[in-house]
């Protein structure tokens, strides 16, 4: 202790030397297990249903990147700091697209039974009507300047949906929009799978089902589903995917009791890019995209590796929930931590040499 110091300094120094050494850099360095009981109860409350572990594609995307990231964001509700400014219409544009497309294709199904390219002009008028209603009903659009803003946004939504209608006229003419943005779920081996698929269109002639997910922004390509081997210290190599959305949707479509194609092999899963006005197939067994110069999609058989990694990720997540294990993966590259929204809470990067 310094001989000449103020009282506050000496007390602070005493508290410092009394600390355990080396000090703990992170409280995420080992599994919590059953303690503390309140934490275990919270995890069980938010992530289990009738004893089964609930898992969605967003859970897997966050967890398979880093256990600690899922724990901080989902279990503790820590929100990432953001400095990006967005206009309300941009932020909510995707929600408006989804709402209008859902209502539009429900009317197509109710009135025509199947999508008919001969009715494209009528569908466009319906889309415009639904777009005006959706934008005018939006809670953020109020006040004297609301009318021109609503009209501008309604035109933009209508134009985007016109591109989807044109795509369906080319590739899905005569298909039934059988499933429209409802929850799908099923339980297996102590896991409750759940999610919401934007649309499943079915060919009434042969039963071919097409999973379609709308994207108002950038849609990921098949490269996001290429298997990436990750070396874990002291363990065998493990594998991850860049995205878990399509594997989850395929599993839900094939096994959920609510799905129109339950028990059948789904060989078509496409993103529908509203901005680019084109379908971007990830999985395709049929002929709709046979003429593409560069086939970036894979067959359902070739997609088996991605499904295997998906199943492995589900098991790892269920094990982590059971053991309350949210420790950072040992083989995770420091560059991932450097770009993490929760680095100031996890504090792995604050340890010397990346070791706590």
């Amino acid at each position: 202790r310094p001989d000449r110091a103020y009282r506050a300094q000496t007390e602070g120094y005493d508290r410092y030397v009394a600390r355990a050494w080396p000090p703990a850099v992170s409280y995420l360095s080992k599994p919590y297990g059953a303690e503390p009981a309140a934490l275990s109860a919270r995890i069980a409350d938010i992530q289990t249903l009738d004893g089964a572990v609930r898992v969605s594609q967003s859970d897997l995307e966050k967890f398979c990147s880093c256990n600690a990231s899922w724990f901080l964001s989902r279990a503790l509700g820590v929100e990432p700091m953001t400095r990006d400014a967005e206009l309300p219409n941009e932020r909510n544009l995707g929600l408006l697209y989804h709402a209008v497309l859902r209502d539009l294709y429900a009317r197509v199904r109710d009135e025509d039974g199947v999508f008919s390219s001969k009715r494209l002009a009528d569908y466009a008028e319906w889309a415009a009507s639904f777009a005006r209603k959706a934008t005018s009903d939006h809670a953020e659009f109020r006040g004297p300047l609301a009318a021109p803003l609503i009209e501008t946004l309604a035109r933009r939504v209508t134009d985007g949906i016109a591109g989807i209608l044109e795509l369906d006229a080319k590739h899905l003419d005569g298909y039934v929009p059988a499933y429209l943005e409802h929850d799908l779920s099923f339980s297996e081996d102590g896991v409750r799978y759940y999610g919401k698929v934007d649309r499943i269109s079915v060919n009434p002639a042969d039963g071919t089902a097409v999973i379609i997910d709308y994207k108002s922004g950038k849609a990921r390509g098949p490269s996001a589903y290429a298997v990436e081997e990750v070396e874990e210290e002291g363990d065998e190599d493990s594998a991850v995917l860049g995205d878990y959305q399509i594997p989850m949707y395929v599993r839900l479509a094939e096994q959920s009791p609510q799905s129109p194609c339950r028990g059948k092999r789904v060989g078509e899963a496409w993103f529908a890019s509203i901005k680019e006005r084109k379908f971007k197939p990830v999985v395709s067994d049929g002929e709709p995209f046979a003429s593409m110069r560069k086939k970036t999609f894979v067959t359902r058989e070739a997609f088996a590796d991605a499904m295997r990694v998906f199943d492995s990720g589900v098991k790892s997540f269920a094990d982590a929930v059971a053991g309350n294990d949210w420790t950072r993966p040992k083989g995770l590259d420091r560059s991932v931590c450097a770009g993490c929204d929760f680095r100031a809470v996890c504090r792995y990067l604050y340890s010397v040499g990346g070791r706590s």
Side-chain angles (χ1 to χ4, degrees), residues 95-304:
L95 296 175
L96 291 172
Y97 277 131
H98 279 73
V100 174
L101 284 163
R102 180 194 62 228
D103 294 343
L104 171 63
Y105 278 91
R107 184 173 177 181
V108 169
R109 181 184 59 197
D110 294 343
E111 294 198 13
D112 295 346
V114 300
F115 184 96
S116 174
S117 59
K118 297 178 181 179
R119 294 263 279 160
L120 200 58
D122 294 326
Y123 297 162
E125 290 184 7
W126 297 354
S129 176
F130 284 126
R132 285 191 294 271
K133 183 178 186 305
T135 52
S136 62
D137 289 347
H138 201 285
E140 291 194 14
F141 304 134
R142 296 290 184 269
L145 299 179
L149 179 60
I150 289 172
E151 184 60 32
T152 299
L153 196 56
R155 285 199 301 268
R156 183 173 178 181
V157 171
T158 301
D159 180 67
I161 291 176
I164 300 297
L165 291 172
E166 292 167 4
L167 290 172
D168 271 29
K170 180 178 180 181
H171 295 288
L172 297 174
D173 192 22
Y175 278 65
V176 180
Y179 173 91
L180 299 171
E181 209 167 322
H182 296 294
D183 292 334
L184 292 178
S185 62
F186 72 95
S187 295
E188 183 179 73
D189 297 331
V191 175
R192 182 72 173 175
Y193 298 75
Y194 71 99
K196 183 177 290 187
V197 182
D198 290 339
R199 173 161 47 114
I200 300 177
S201 287
V202 178
N203 185 343
D206 59 12
T208 298
V210 181
I211 295 172
I212 297 173
D213 186 76
Y214 307 123
K215 294 295 182 186
S216 57
K218 184 177 181 180
R220 293 191 175 188
S223 61
Y225 302 97
V227 177
E228 302 176 17
E229 298 295 337
V230 178
E231 185 175 348
E232 291 282 359
E233 298 176 14
D235 295 321
E236 296 181 358
D237 287 357
S238 59
V240 297
L241 301 175
D243 184 62
Y244 289 82
Q245 188 170 19
I246 295 300
M248 175 61 86
Y249 288 175
V250 168
R251 186 69 80 226
L252 288 169
E254 292 180 342
Q255 296 184 233
S256 172
Q258 305 97 327
S259 171
C261 43
R262 183 191 185 191
K264 300 178 181 178
R265 184 180 177 88
V266 175
E268 305 292 332
W270 313 342
F271 286 122
S273 175
I274 297 173
K275 184 177 182 180
E276 299 177 76
R277 303 173 82 90
K278 66 180 181 180
F279 283 135
K280 303 184 76 171
V282 174
V283 179
S284 183
D285 279 341
E287 297 299 320
F289 304 99
S291 61
M292 290 179 65
R293 291 183 179 180
K294 183 179 179 181
K295 295 183 180 179
T296 57
F297 56 88
V298 298
T299 64
R300 179 67 171 82
E301 182 179 358
F303 201 61

